[in-house]
Amino acid sequence: MAISGTALVLFLILHMIGNLKIFFGAEAFDHYAHWLREIGAPLLPYSGFLWIQRVGLLVALGLHIWSAAVLTIRARKARPVKYAHRKPVQGSYAARTMRWGGVIVFFFVVYHILDLTTRTFNPVADTAQANAAVVQGFAPERWYVTAFYVLAVLTLGFHLNHGIWSGLQTLGVSNARRERVLKGTAFAIAFVTCAGFLVVPFAVLTGLVK
């Protein structure tokens, strides 16, 4: 679960950085989207790299979900009879909602692909117009899309904060001496990633990106 989560976190960071290209102008952002489809050419066909990436992400996501299910089943088998009385376990909000957070993020990913990748739900059908798709996708009249996006990204932030910290523990990086630093690092990565994703729709709503 930690290894598959690491792959997904790295993708999210790179994806967030790529999204910020939109602040360099429509032409630059469209060129960036076109460049992604030409990576590896002529060795790879057009969009070949993106399909390799998509398959890899699908495998990582599948392994992540499978790992979560296995851990849940093991935990229940370890204690088949519920406690008659159990004291509340102290923990962060993120830790207590990891499963639900994962479900929300999963459904958002499905919608996000249908909106900005296949353009099934997006007003701009031309896949070459990446900037226009983002601007129209987060247009004021589609406020419900932006609201869902914000909810999903904030949920992702909680998921990242606890997930990165848990992953570091699982991989043996954490110890008592480094605990505070690593917790701060996990929070910083989650915060910056979420801020990077959220700044785009808000820039569209305020007219900064057109």
Side-chain angles (χ1 to χ4, degrees):
M1 190 166 191
I3 294 173
S4 60
T6 300
L8 294 171
V9 169
L10 291 175
F11 166 76
L12 284 171
I13 293 173
L14 292 175
H15 184 38
M16 179 272 293
I17 294 173
N19 283 358
L20 297 179
K21 190 77 174 178
I22 200 169
F23 291 101
F24 290 87
E27 184 177 352
F29 191 65
D30 287 344
H31 181 268
Y32 166 71
H34 182 70
W35 170 77
L36 288 175
R37 291 171 170 78
E38 292 187 327
I39 294 178
L43 180 62
L44 296 176
Y46 187 73
S47 294
F49 170 78
L50 286 181
W51 278 109
I52 293 173
Q53 183 187 72
R54 287 163 184 164
V55 172
L57 288 171
L58 186 61
V59 171
L61 182 61
L63 288 173
H64 203 63
I65 295 173
W66 173 78
S67 299
V70 169
L71 290 174
T72 301
I73 293 172
R74 285 181 179 176
R76 289 178 178 176
K77 285 184 177 180
R79 181 70 191 186
V81 179
K82 292 184 178 181
Y83 290 100
H85 174 70
R86 184 178 183 180
K87 294 181 179 180
V89 178
Q90 295 297 321
S92 67
Y93 175 80
R96 296 193 300 270
T97 59
M98 282 295 283
R99 291 178 191 138
W100 284 111
V103 171
I104 292 174
V105 172
F106 173 77
F107 282 112
F108 168 73
V109 169
V110 173
Y111 177 85
H112 194 57
I113 291 173
L114 292 174
D115 184 34
L116 292 175
T117 302
T118 66
R119 305 294 173 83
T120 304
F121 298 144
N122 196 283
V124 180
D126 187 359
T127 55
Q129 299 185 40
N131 187 86
V134 173
V135 173
Q136 292 299 318
F138 294 120
E141 60 270 20
R142 283 165 57 91
W143 59 268
Y144 48 90
V145 173
T146 302
F148 182 37
Y149 185 89
V150 171
L151 172 64
V153 171
L154 291 177
T155 303
L156 175 65
F158 284 112
H159 202 82
L160 284 175
N161 184 32
H162 183 70
I164 293 172
W165 164 241
S166 296
L168 291 172
Q169 287 184 306
T170 300
L171 297 175
V173 178
S174 177
N175 59 35
R177 183 171 55 86
R178 293 190 292 239
E179 182 176 351
R180 180 174 296 182
V181 173
L182 293 177
K183 280 188 175 181
T185 301
F187 176 80
I189 293 174
F191 180 83
V192 172
T193 302
C194 288
F197 278 119
L198 290 176
V199 72
V200 174
F202 286 127
V204 173
L205 288 175
T206 57
L208 183 61
V209 171
K210 300 179 180 180

PDB file of all heavy atoms in Angstrom, residues 168-197:
ATOM      1  N   LEU A 168       5.624   6.612   5.250  1.00  0.00           N
ATOM      2  CA  LEU A 168       6.982   6.770   5.774  1.00  0.00           C
ATOM      3  C   LEU A 168       7.235   5.815   6.940  1.00  0.00           C
ATOM      4  O   LEU A 168       8.333   5.262   7.080  1.00  0.00           O
ATOM      5  CB  LEU A 168       7.205   8.215   6.222  1.00  0.00           C
ATOM      6  CG  LEU A 168       7.253   9.259   5.099  1.00  0.00           C
ATOM      7  CD1 LEU A 168       7.283  10.665   5.679  1.00  0.00           C
ATOM      8  CD2 LEU A 168       8.464   9.031   4.192  1.00  0.00           C
ATOM      9  N   GLN A 169       6.206   5.620   7.765  1.00  0.00           N
ATOM     10  CA  GLN A 169       6.341   4.662   8.867  1.00  0.00           C
ATOM     11  C   GLN A 169       6.480   3.240   8.337  1.00  0.00           C
ATOM     12  O   GLN A 169       7.316   2.462   8.798  1.00  0.00           O
ATOM     13  CB  GLN A 169       5.127   4.759   9.788  1.00  0.00           C
ATOM     14  CG  GLN A 169       5.093   6.006  10.658  1.00  0.00           C
ATOM     15  CD  GLN A 169       3.922   5.991  11.606  1.00  0.00           C
ATOM     16  OE1 GLN A 169       2.772   5.825  11.193  1.00  0.00           O
ATOM     17  NE2 GLN A 169       4.201   6.156  12.893  1.00  0.00           N
ATOM     18  N   THR A 170       5.640   2.905   7.359  1.00  0.00           N
ATOM     19  CA  THR A 170       5.659   1.557   6.792  1.00  0.00           C
ATOM     20  C   THR A 170       7.000   1.243   6.148  1.00  0.00           C
ATOM     21  O   THR A 170       7.514   0.120   6.266  1.00  0.00           O
ATOM     22  CB  THR A 170       4.544   1.407   5.747  1.00  0.00           C
ATOM     23  OG1 THR A 170       3.284   1.646   6.363  1.00  0.00           O
ATOM     24  CG2 THR A 170       4.544   0.008   5.139  1.00  0.00           C
ATOM     25  N   LEU A 171       7.574   2.219   5.468  1.00  0.00           N
ATOM     26  CA  LEU A 171       8.840   2.010   4.764  1.00  0.00           C
ATOM     27  C   LEU A 171      10.051   2.134   5.693  1.00  0.00           C
ATOM     28  O   LEU A 171      11.186   2.033   5.242  1.00  0.00           O
ATOM     29  CB  LEU A 171       8.960   3.016   3.616  1.00  0.00           C
ATOM     30  CG  LEU A 171       7.896   2.883   2.515  1.00  0.00           C
ATOM     31  CD1 LEU A 171       8.034   4.009   1.498  1.00  0.00           C
ATOM     32  CD2 LEU A 171       8.009   1.523   1.820  1.00  0.00           C
ATOM     33  N   GLY A 172       9.808   2.367   6.982  1.00  0.00           N
ATOM     34  CA  GLY A 172      10.883   2.389   7.949  1.00  0.00           C
ATOM     35  C   GLY A 172      11.681   3.670   8.007  1.00  0.00           C
ATOM     36  O   GLY A 172      12.773   3.704   8.582  1.00  0.00           O
ATOM     37  N   VAL A 173      11.154   4.745   7.404  1.00  0.00           N
ATOM     38  CA  VAL A 173      11.874   6.025   7.409  1.00  0.00           C
ATOM     39  C   VAL A 173      11.712   6.735   8.737  1.00  0.00           C
ATOM     40  O   VAL A 173      12.602   7.456   9.198  1.00  0.00           O
ATOM     41  CB  VAL A 173      11.367   6.926   6.257  1.00  0.00           C
ATOM     42  CG1 VAL A 173      12.069   8.278   6.281  1.00  0.00           C
ATOM     43  CG2 VAL A 173      11.578   6.233   4.917  1.00  0.00           C
ATOM     44  N   SER A 174      10.556   6.540   9.374  1.00  0.00           N
ATOM     45  CA  SER A 174      10.251   7.286  10.594  1.00  0.00           C
ATOM     46  C   SER A 174      10.894   6.660  11.824  1.00  0.00           C
ATOM     47  O   SER A 174      11.093   5.459  11.903  1.00  0.00           O
ATOM     48  CB  SER A 174       8.727   7.339  10.792  1.00  0.00           C
ATOM     49  OG  SER A 174       8.402   7.994  11.991  1.00  0.00           O
ATOM     50  N   ASN A 175      11.217   7.522  12.765  1.00  0.00           N
ATOM     51  CA  ASN A 175      11.615   7.090  14.098  1.00  0.00           C
ATOM     52  C   ASN A 175      11.276   8.208  15.071  1.00  0.00           C
ATOM     53  O   ASN A 175      10.813   9.275  14.666  1.00  0.00           O
ATOM     54  CB  ASN A 175      13.108   6.708  14.165  1.00  0.00           C
ATOM     55  CG  ASN A 175      14.017   7.858  13.774  1.00  0.00           C
ATOM     56  OD1 ASN A 175      13.734   9.012  14.054  1.00  0.00           O
ATOM     57  ND2 ASN A 175      15.127   7.523  13.114  1.00  0.00           N
ATOM     58  N   ALA A 176      11.507   7.973  16.357  1.00  0.00           N
ATOM     59  CA  ALA A 176      11.108   8.955  17.363  1.00  0.00           C
ATOM     60  C   ALA A 176      11.795  10.305  17.164  1.00  0.00           C
ATOM     61  O   ALA A 176      11.206  11.363  17.383  1.00  0.00           O
ATOM     62  CB  ALA A 176      11.420   8.408  18.758  1.00  0.00           C
ATOM     63  N   ARG A 177      13.050  10.283  16.729  1.00  0.00           N
ATOM     64  CA  ARG A 177      13.809  11.516  16.575  1.00  0.00           C
ATOM     65  C   ARG A 177      13.329  12.336  15.383  1.00  0.00           C
ATOM     66  O   ARG A 177      13.323  13.567  15.419  1.00  0.00           O
ATOM     67  CB  ARG A 177      15.291  11.178  16.407  1.00  0.00           C
ATOM     68  CG  ARG A 177      16.209  12.387  16.303  1.00  0.00           C
ATOM     69  CD  ARG A 177      17.669  11.954  16.374  1.00  0.00           C
ATOM     70  NE  ARG A 177      17.965  10.954  15.370  1.00  0.00           N
ATOM     71  CZ  ARG A 177      18.319  11.252  14.114  1.00  0.00           C
ATOM     72  NH1 ARG A 177      18.400  12.512  13.728  1.00  0.00           N
ATOM     73  NH2 ARG A 177      18.592  10.292  13.253  1.00  0.00           N
ATOM     74  N   ARG A 178      12.917  11.635  14.305  1.00  0.00           N
ATOM     75  CA  ARG A 178      12.516  12.338  13.084  1.00  0.00           C
ATOM     76  C   ARG A 178      11.009  12.511  12.970  1.00  0.00           C
ATOM     77  O   ARG A 178      10.522  13.034  11.973  1.00  0.00           O
ATOM     78  CB  ARG A 178      13.015  11.571  11.863  1.00  0.00           C
ATOM     79  CG  ARG A 178      14.524  11.559  11.714  1.00  0.00           C
ATOM     80  CD  ARG A 178      14.915  10.997  10.379  1.00  0.00           C
ATOM     81  NE  ARG A 178      14.598   9.579  10.299  1.00  0.00           N
ATOM     82  CZ  ARG A 178      15.482   8.628  10.062  1.00  0.00           C
ATOM     83  NH1 ARG A 178      16.747   8.949   9.904  1.00  0.00           N
ATOM     84  NH2 ARG A 178      15.131   7.368   9.998  1.00  0.00           N
ATOM     85  N   GLU A 179      10.256  12.064  13.971  1.00  0.00           N
ATOM     86  CA  GLU A 179       8.797  12.037  13.857  1.00  0.00           C
ATOM     87  C   GLU A 179       8.208  13.410  13.550  1.00  0.00           C
ATOM     88  O   GLU A 179       7.402  13.556  12.632  1.00  0.00           O
ATOM     89  CB  GLU A 179       8.182  11.485  15.146  1.00  0.00           C
ATOM     90  CG  GLU A 179       6.662  11.381  15.083  1.00  0.00           C
ATOM     91  CD  GLU A 179       6.090  10.733  16.326  1.00  0.00           C
ATOM     92  OE1 GLU A 179       6.872  10.222  17.153  1.00  0.00           O
ATOM     93  OE2 GLU A 179       4.860  10.746  16.478  1.00  0.00           O
ATOM     94  N   ARG A 180       8.601  14.421  14.306  1.00  0.00           N
ATOM     95  CA  ARG A 180       8.025  15.752  14.109  1.00  0.00           C
ATOM     96  C   ARG A 180       8.366  16.318  12.735  1.00  0.00           C
ATOM     97  O   ARG A 180       7.508  16.902  12.062  1.00  0.00           O
ATOM     98  CB  ARG A 180       8.526  16.702  15.196  1.00  0.00           C
ATOM     99  CG  ARG A 180       7.970  18.116  15.075  1.00  0.00           C
ATOM    100  CD  ARG A 180       8.371  18.985  16.243  1.00  0.00           C
ATOM    101  NE  ARG A 180       7.813  18.493  17.498  1.00  0.00           N
ATOM    102  CZ  ARG A 180       7.994  19.097  18.669  1.00  0.00           C
ATOM    103  NH1 ARG A 180       8.735  20.211  18.739  1.00  0.00           N
ATOM    104  NH2 ARG A 180       7.456  18.610  19.763  1.00  0.00           N
ATOM    105  N   VAL A 181       9.601  16.117  12.297  1.00  0.00           N
ATOM    106  CA  VAL A 181      10.024  16.629  10.992  1.00  0.00           C
ATOM    107  C   VAL A 181       9.247  15.946   9.865  1.00  0.00           C
ATOM    108  O   VAL A 181       8.787  16.599   8.925  1.00  0.00           O
ATOM    109  CB  VAL A 181      11.540  16.416  10.787  1.00  0.00           C
ATOM    110  CG1 VAL A 181      11.955  16.795   9.367  1.00  0.00           C
ATOM    111  CG2 VAL A 181      12.318  17.234  11.796  1.00  0.00           C
ATOM    112  N   LEU A 182       9.088  14.627   9.961  1.00  0.00           N
ATOM    113  CA  LEU A 182       8.394  13.886   8.921  1.00  0.00           C
ATOM    114  C   LEU A 182       6.904  14.210   8.897  1.00  0.00           C
ATOM    115  O   LEU A 182       6.290  14.263   7.826  1.00  0.00           O
ATOM    116  CB  LEU A 182       8.606  12.387   9.118  1.00  0.00           C
ATOM    117  CG  LEU A 182      10.051  11.915   8.898  1.00  0.00           C
ATOM    118  CD1 LEU A 182      10.180  10.429   9.183  1.00  0.00           C
ATOM    119  CD2 LEU A 182      10.508  12.231   7.477  1.00  0.00           C
ATOM    120  N   LYS A 183       6.313  14.431  10.066  1.00  0.00           N
ATOM    121  CA  LYS A 183       4.914  14.847  10.095  1.00  0.00           C
ATOM    122  C   LYS A 183       4.751  16.211   9.434  1.00  0.00           C
ATOM    123  O   LYS A 183       3.801  16.454   8.695  1.00  0.00           O
ATOM    124  CB  LYS A 183       4.402  14.893  11.535  1.00  0.00           C
ATOM    125  CG  LYS A 183       4.016  13.541  12.102  1.00  0.00           C
ATOM    126  CD  LYS A 183       3.340  13.683  13.460  1.00  0.00           C
ATOM    127  CE  LYS A 183       2.839  12.334  13.955  1.00  0.00           C
ATOM    128  NZ  LYS A 183       2.152  12.454  15.272  1.00  0.00           N
ATOM    129  N   GLY A 184       5.704  17.103   9.709  1.00  0.00           N
ATOM    130  CA  GLY A 184       5.671  18.421   9.078  1.00  0.00           C
ATOM    131  C   GLY A 184       5.864  18.323   7.579  1.00  0.00           C
ATOM    132  O   GLY A 184       5.224  19.056   6.809  1.00  0.00           O
ATOM    133  N   THR A 185       6.720  17.403   7.140  1.00  0.00           N
ATOM    134  CA  THR A 185       6.951  17.203   5.715  1.00  0.00           C
ATOM    135  C   THR A 185       5.698  16.688   5.022  1.00  0.00           C
ATOM    136  O   THR A 185       5.336  17.153   3.933  1.00  0.00           O
ATOM    137  CB  THR A 185       8.105  16.201   5.499  1.00  0.00           C
ATOM    138  OG1 THR A 185       9.285  16.713   6.111  1.00  0.00           O
ATOM    139  CG2 THR A 185       8.353  15.976   4.016  1.00  0.00           C
ATOM    140  N   ALA A 186       5.021  15.728   5.658  1.00  0.00           N
ATOM    141  CA  ALA A 186       3.782  15.178   5.098  1.00  0.00           C
ATOM    142  C   ALA A 186       2.726  16.266   4.965  1.00  0.00           C
ATOM    143  O   ALA A 186       2.046  16.367   3.941  1.00  0.00           O
ATOM    144  CB  ALA A 186       3.271  14.038   5.974  1.00  0.00           C
ATOM    145  N   PHE A 187       2.600  17.097   6.003  1.00  0.00           N
ATOM    146  CA  PHE A 187       1.624  18.189   5.967  1.00  0.00           C
ATOM    147  C   PHE A 187       1.981  19.196   4.873  1.00  0.00           C
ATOM    148  O   PHE A 187       1.100  19.668   4.137  1.00  0.00           O
ATOM    149  CB  PHE A 187       1.562  18.893   7.317  1.00  0.00           C
ATOM    150  CG  PHE A 187       0.650  20.097   7.319  1.00  0.00           C
ATOM    151  CD1 PHE A 187      -0.722  19.944   7.445  1.00  0.00           C
ATOM    152  CD2 PHE A 187       1.173  21.374   7.177  1.00  0.00           C
ATOM    153  CE1 PHE A 187      -1.563  21.046   7.427  1.00  0.00           C
ATOM    154  CE2 PHE A 187       0.345  22.485   7.168  1.00  0.00           C
ATOM    155  CZ  PHE A 187      -1.029  22.320   7.287  1.00  0.00           C
ATOM    156  N   ALA A 188       3.260  19.524   4.748  1.00  0.00           N
ATOM    157  CA  ALA A 188       3.702  20.499   3.755  1.00  0.00           C
ATOM    158  C   ALA A 188       3.420  20.011   2.336  1.00  0.00           C
ATOM    159  O   ALA A 188       2.932  20.770   1.490  1.00  0.00           O
ATOM    160  CB  ALA A 188       5.189  20.795   3.927  1.00  0.00           C
ATOM    161  N   ILE A 189       3.715  18.742   2.074  1.00  0.00           N
ATOM    162  CA  ILE A 189       3.463  18.178   0.743  1.00  0.00           C
ATOM    163  C   ILE A 189       1.979  18.198   0.433  1.00  0.00           C
ATOM    164  O   ILE A 189       1.549  18.576  -0.672  1.00  0.00           O
ATOM    165  CB  ILE A 189       4.015  16.743   0.649  1.00  0.00           C
ATOM    166  CG1 ILE A 189       5.540  16.760   0.737  1.00  0.00           C
ATOM    167  CG2 ILE A 189       3.573  16.071  -0.655  1.00  0.00           C
ATOM    168  CD1 ILE A 189       6.166  15.385   0.808  1.00  0.00           C
ATOM    169  N   ALA A 190       1.147  17.785   1.410  1.00  0.00           N
ATOM    170  CA  ALA A 190      -0.301  17.769   1.218  1.00  0.00           C
ATOM    171  C   ALA A 190      -0.832  19.185   0.984  1.00  0.00           C
ATOM    172  O   ALA A 190      -1.659  19.412   0.097  1.00  0.00           O
ATOM    173  CB  ALA A 190      -0.979  17.135   2.429  1.00  0.00           C
ATOM    174  N   PHE A 191      -0.351  20.145   1.774  1.00  0.00           N
ATOM    175  CA  PHE A 191      -0.827  21.529   1.674  1.00  0.00           C
ATOM    176  C   PHE A 191      -0.458  22.152   0.333  1.00  0.00           C
ATOM    177  O   PHE A 191      -1.309  22.751  -0.346  1.00  0.00           O
ATOM    178  CB  PHE A 191      -0.244  22.357   2.814  1.00  0.00           C
ATOM    179  CG  PHE A 191      -0.685  23.797   2.796  1.00  0.00           C
ATOM    180  CD1 PHE A 191      -1.907  24.164   3.342  1.00  0.00           C
ATOM    181  CD2 PHE A 191       0.126  24.769   2.219  1.00  0.00           C
ATOM    182  CE1 PHE A 191      -2.320  25.490   3.311  1.00  0.00           C
ATOM    183  CE2 PHE A 191      -0.286  26.091   2.188  1.00  0.00           C
ATOM    184  CZ  PHE A 191      -1.514  26.455   2.730  1.00  0.00           C
ATOM    185  N   VAL A 192       0.803  22.017  -0.059  1.00  0.00           N
ATOM    186  CA  VAL A 192       1.258  22.612  -1.319  1.00  0.00           C
ATOM    187  C   VAL A 192       0.559  21.965  -2.513  1.00  0.00           C
ATOM    188  O   VAL A 192       0.161  22.652  -3.466  1.00  0.00           O
ATOM    189  CB  VAL A 192       2.791  22.471  -1.453  1.00  0.00           C
ATOM    190  CG1 VAL A 192       3.255  22.904  -2.843  1.00  0.00           C
ATOM    191  CG2 VAL A 192       3.491  23.303  -0.394  1.00  0.00           C
ATOM    192  N   THR A 193       0.396  20.651  -2.474  1.00  0.00           N
ATOM    193  CA  THR A 193      -0.277  19.949  -3.571  1.00  0.00           C
ATOM    194  C   THR A 193      -1.718  20.427  -3.712  1.00  0.00           C
ATOM    195  O   THR A 193      -2.174  20.718  -4.824  1.00  0.00           O
ATOM    196  CB  THR A 193      -0.246  18.428  -3.337  1.00  0.00           C
ATOM    197  OG1 THR A 193       1.114  17.992  -3.214  1.00  0.00           O
ATOM    198  CG2 THR A 193      -0.899  17.684  -4.497  1.00  0.00           C
ATOM    199  N   CYS A 194      -2.429  20.504  -2.599  1.00  0.00           N
ATOM    200  CA  CYS A 194      -3.825  20.962  -2.636  1.00  0.00           C
ATOM    201  C   CYS A 194      -3.922  22.409  -3.098  1.00  0.00           C
ATOM    202  O   CYS A 194      -4.787  22.764  -3.909  1.00  0.00           O
ATOM    203  CB  CYS A 194      -4.471  20.812  -1.263  1.00  0.00           C
ATOM    204  SG  CYS A 194      -4.797  19.121  -0.805  1.00  0.00           S
ATOM    205  N   ALA A 195      -3.040  23.262  -2.578  1.00  0.00           N
ATOM    206  CA  ALA A 195      -3.048  24.673  -2.974  1.00  0.00           C
ATOM    207  C   ALA A 195      -2.793  24.814  -4.470  1.00  0.00           C
ATOM    208  O   ALA A 195      -3.437  25.621  -5.158  1.00  0.00           O
ATOM    209  CB  ALA A 195      -2.000  25.444  -2.178  1.00  0.00           C
ATOM    210  N   GLY A 196      -1.867  24.002  -4.993  1.00  0.00           N
ATOM    211  CA  GLY A 196      -1.568  24.045  -6.415  1.00  0.00           C
ATOM    212  C   GLY A 196      -2.740  23.635  -7.276  1.00  0.00           C
ATOM    213  O   GLY A 196      -2.963  24.199  -8.360  1.00  0.00           O
ATOM    214  N   PHE A 197      -3.518  22.662  -6.813  1.00  0.00           N
ATOM    215  CA  PHE A 197      -4.696  22.237  -7.566  1.00  0.00           C
ATOM    216  C   PHE A 197      -5.828  23.258  -7.446  1.00  0.00           C
ATOM    217  O   PHE A 197      -6.529  23.544  -8.418  1.00  0.00           O
ATOM    218  CB  PHE A 197      -5.187  20.871  -7.071  1.00  0.00           C
ATOM    219  CG  PHE A 197      -4.438  19.716  -7.659  1.00  0.00           C
ATOM    220  CD1 PHE A 197      -3.736  18.841  -6.846  1.00  0.00           C
ATOM    221  CD2 PHE A 197      -4.429  19.488  -9.025  1.00  0.00           C
ATOM    222  CE1 PHE A 197      -3.032  17.771  -7.381  1.00  0.00           C
ATOM    223  CE2 PHE A 197      -3.734  18.419  -9.576  1.00  0.00           C
ATOM    224  CZ  PHE A 197      -3.029  17.557  -8.753  1.00  0.00           C
TER     225      PHE A 197
END
